[in-house]
Amino acid sequence: MKLFNLMCSSVFLLGSQLAMAQEAAFRPYFFIETGLGENTFDQAEFNGFNVKPNEFSLKLTTSYQLTPKWSVSISASSSNTYMDEKYSTDDESAYILTGINYNTALYSLVGGYDIALNDDWQVNFNAGVIVGKEKKATYICPLPTSFLYFSHTCYSDKAISTSYDEATKASFIVGTSIIYNFAKNWGVKLAYKFSGYREGLRQSALLIQYRF
C-alpha cells in the first residue's frame, strides 16, 4: 500500500512539474479569425412584426491568448433584414404597405477556456457579453389593389412616410467551438454561440485562424 501511494505521489508530482514547465515556456500571443457566420434570431418583434431574421455575414474576431488555457476575444458581425406587411384602407379601395429595414452591428467580448485534445485539435468554451447597435427605418407606401403585391417593396424612394429609430441592446452570450490546427500558425474553427439578445440569438460560423 505504501508503494502504491508512493507511485501515485510520484506520478502527480511529475505531472505538476510538466504543467509548470509548459506554463513557463508559454508566451502570450495575438490571433485573428475571419470567415462566414450566420445570425439567426429565434424571434424578434419590430413595430408589431413578429419575424425570425436569418442572414449570413462576414465575421471578424481578434483574440489574445493569456495562458495555454485562457483567452479573451472581441468579435464583430452584422445583420440586415427587410420585412413588410400589407394593410387595406377602411374603404378597401387601396392597400398600405409598411416596410421595415432593420440593421444591427453585433459586438461581443468573451473569455475562453481551451482544452487540447492532441497536438492538432482543441475545444474551446466561452462566455461573455454581446452588444447590438440597432438602426431601424420604417416606410409606409401606397399600394393599389391592381398592383402585384409580391413584386413590390417599400423603401424611402416610394414612401409617403418614413421614420428612423436607433437603439442599443445587450445580453449574455455563451458558446463552444472546435479548432483544427493544420499548420504552425494556421487553424480552422467551427463555432456555435447562443445569446439572450432580443428573444434569442444563435450564431454559427466557419472561421480561418492565424496566430501571430
Side-chain angles (χ1 to χ4, degrees), residues 161-176:
S161 175
T162 303
S163 61
Y164 298 95
D165 296 289
E166 295 187 7
T168 300
K169 297 181 180 293
S171 184
F172 71 89
I173 187 168
V174 294
T176 186

Side-chain angles (χ1 to χ4, degrees), residues 12 47 70 88 97 127-128 135 149 182 191 195 202 210:
F12 178 78
N47 285 22
W70 293 98
S88 62
L97 186 66
K135 294 182 179 181
Y149 165 66
F182 59 85
S195 170
R202 303 173 190 274
Y210 180 77

Side-chain angles (χ1 to χ4, degrees), residues 8-21:
C8 290
S9 300
S10 299
V11 171
F12 178 78
L13 180 60
L14 180 60
S16 300
Q17 290 175 341
L18 288 174
M20 291 176 61

Side-chain angles (χ1 to χ4, degrees), residues 31-34 59-63 73-76 193 207:
F31 61 94
I32 59 172
E33 298 167 340
T34 187
K59 186 179 179 68
L60 179 64
T61 299
T62 301
S63 304
S73 302
I74 299 175
S75 300
K193 293 181 179 180
L207 307 169

